[in-house]
Amino acid sequence: MPERADFSARWILKRAAKAAVAGALTAVGIHHAVRLVRRRQAGGSRVLILSYHRVTPDFGAESRQTLASLLVSTETLRRQLEHVGRRNEIVSLADARRILAEPAGGRRADVVAVTIDDGYADVAQHALPVLRALRAPATVFVPTGYVGTARRLPHDRLHAALAALARRRIPFERAGLPPPLQALLSACAEGGPAATLDRLIARLPHERLVALAAGLERRLGTAEQDLPASTRLMTWDEVRALDAAGVDVGGHTVNHAVLANLPLVEARRELAGCRDQLRERIGRAPRHFAYPNGYYTPAVQRAVAEAGFEAAVTIEDEENRHGGSPYGLKRKVLWENTTLGAVGWSGVVATCNLGGVFSTLGLARPVPGERPDPPAEPATRTARADAAEAPADARAVS
């Protein structure tokens, strides 16, 4: 997650340089060539799946108090969707999946699907009106254990605490936590709050993330309910209202747990619990699933399929290929700065970022989401003893 823009002279110059490069590339038509290359990579029509998190009327004010890289303003959301909609049909995630299942080499037009993760209340308040106005279908993925509660997601709690330490000029390595928690934080300390948060999420299982968030809050004299009201998730009434409005409601685990960091038996509980709660609350089982933070393993993919989900999405910014696995659909994560020039919206930056120009030229790199399955459980003590006592030739055969 990038750190929040500070709008310093250096930052503005960097953005201006990016816009200038984008302008030069589009002036010579490189985006048209990239489109053809990407279609060949896809094996036919391109299926671009967009990923959002939070939508706010005022990005500037909201980014000063919450995690900026999750935010997009209502105005920018509208402009981004209008931009991609000029040359692509915006379709449902189910339709996008069906198109990708078609044989390679078809001449269908390129399409875009819209997804929103985490189930924040501002999806119902601010995103839905934009989607309705543009008649754009969307899928919203919700972590069911937080819906209708005052609890906040671990990444919001951790970022708020880390930002508070930074404001007080307290190094993360000397946060004053109990030794076990401090060791976890110190091992992941990396630059500012957002970069450190990235490493914590990538490395720690869910229960340790929650314990670290609680430890930091005790150290700072705060609580998760002290976070801005804008970080709350939807109520079940709001989720049902989205469903009634035609929005596809998908699963995002019970606890927003990174499944690749859990034992498989716990990952299965997260999947089944999420599925069952959604089926109970909205009257039908969810069809689609989003891996929290985009991390998955082959075993997790199989578990998602076994739980009855028809497809699952990552946050890997790569081309979706026809005939690929429906449990590894690629998405492009968007936020306010994805289409930002020196000080505001930039059409040429939008063209290069959303069209894959920067990534095709190596100016942006996708974050891989797939991780290897953990090693098999070690043999039991009895089995190891039996093997040690077996004749040498017998052990060699086994």
Side-chain angles (χ1 to χ4, degrees):
M1 297 176 185
E3 302 296 341
R4 180 171 61 85
D6 58 12
F7 289 96
S8 63
R10 179 180 178 183
W11 185 87
I12 291 174
L13 285 173
K14 184 177 179 180
R15 297 299 311 186
K18 184 171 186 176
V21 170
L25 292 171
T26 54
V28 299
I30 191 69
H31 54 298
H32 298 304
V34 166
R35 190 181 186 94
L36 294 175
V37 169
R38 290 283 187 142
R39 284 179 67 90
R40 283 197 293 271
Q41 290 176 344
S45 57
R46 295 184 66 196
V47 176
L48 175 63
I49 305 175
L50 306 180
S51 170
Y52 292 97
H53 290 83
R54 292 191 52 209
V55 183
T56 175
D58 188 342
F59 172 80
E62 190 63 28
S63 66
R64 287 190 286 272
Q65 61 177 354
T66 58
L67 189 53
S69 58
L70 298 185
L71 299 171
V72 65
S73 67
T74 51
E75 175 64 14
T76 297
L77 173 65
R78 179 186 64 79
R79 298 183 78 163
Q80 288 177 350
L81 295 183
E82 287 178 340
H83 184 91
V84 296
R86 290 189 189 103
R87 296 196 62 180
N88 310 273
E89 181 185 1
I90 300 179
V91 302
S92 68
L93 185 58
D95 285 341
R97 179 169 53 83
R98 282 192 287 269
I99 291 169
L100 286 170
E102 294 175 354
R107 293 186 172 274
R108 181 191 289 270
D110 296 347
V111 299
V112 172
V114 180
T115 65
I116 307 175
D117 289 9
D118 294 351
Y120 287 102
D122 52 34
V123 173
Q125 295 168 353
H126 305 306
L128 184 58
V130 176
L131 295 169
R132 277 177 167 166
L134 298 177
R135 298 182 179 180
T139 296
V140 174
F141 297 105
V142 296
T144 54
Y146 292 85
V147 176
T149 75
R151 297 169 61 205
R152 300 298 196 267
L153 292 172
H155 57 252
D156 286 321
R157 296 172 63 188
L158 285 165
H159 185 265
L162 294 171
L165 289 176
R167 286 193 299 272
R168 299 182 191 186
R169 300 183 182 277
I170 300 174
F172 299 156
E173 296 87 346
R174 296 195 293 276
L177 297 173
L181 294 179
Q182 184 60 63
L184 296 176
L185 178 57
S186 297
C188 296
E190 175 73 20
T196 299
L197 177 61
D198 267 351
R199 297 184 76 178
L200 289 168
I201 291 172
R203 297 180 181 185
L204 301 185
H206 180 76
E207 62 178 12
R208 292 187 182 179
L209 289 174
V210 173
L212 183 57
L216 285 167
E217 288 162 351
R218 286 192 296 271
R219 165 72 173 84
L220 295 163
T222 61
E224 61 182 305
Q225 288 76 20
D226 296 330
L227 267 65
S230 57
T231 59
R232 80 167 178 87
L233 270 64
M234 288 184 284
T235 64
W236 281 112
D237 283 344
E238 289 171 321
V239 173
R240 283 189 286 268
L242 281 183
D243 177 67
V247 174
D248 174 35
V249 179
H252 205 35
T253 73
V254 174
N255 292 300
H256 199 273
V258 177
L259 299 182
N261 290 347
L262 294 180
L264 191 56
V265 64
E266 292 183 25
R268 290 193 175 110
R269 281 198 292 266
E270 288 281 341
L271 292 164
C274 174
R275 176 202 62 205
D276 294 346
Q277 288 173 4
L278 284 172
R279 180 163 49 200
E280 177 185 353
R281 294 287 189 163
I282 65 175
R284 59 178 173 273
R287 301 171 63 189
H288 303 115
F289 180 80
Y291 302 106
N293 290 90
Y295 296 125
Y296 61 95
T297 70
V300 164
Q301 287 182 306
R302 292 191 294 272
V304 172
E306 291 163 1
F309 293 96
E310 298 175 17
V313 294
T314 73
I315 55 170
E316 296 164 306
D317 185 7
E318 297 175 342
E319 203 63 35
N320 280 302
R321 300 175 186 271
H322 287 254
S325 169
Y327 297 99
L329 300 179
K330 316 301 183 184
R331 292 189 295 173
K332 179 182 286 291
V333 179
L334 303 187
W335 65 300
E336 186 75 10
N337 286 12
T338 302
T339 49
L340 183 66
V343 292
W345 169 271
S346 169
V348 290
V349 172
T351 295
C352 288
N353 259 339
L354 300 179
V357 173
F358 288 146
S359 54
T360 298
L361 298 179
L363 302 176
R365 292 179 297 175
V367 177
E370 183 172 3
R371 295 181 168 191
D373 285 328
E377 291 290 330
T380 63
R381 184 175 182 275
T382 301
R384 288 196 300 269
D386 290 345
E389 295 169 3
D393 55 349
R395 291 201 303 270
V397 171
S398 64

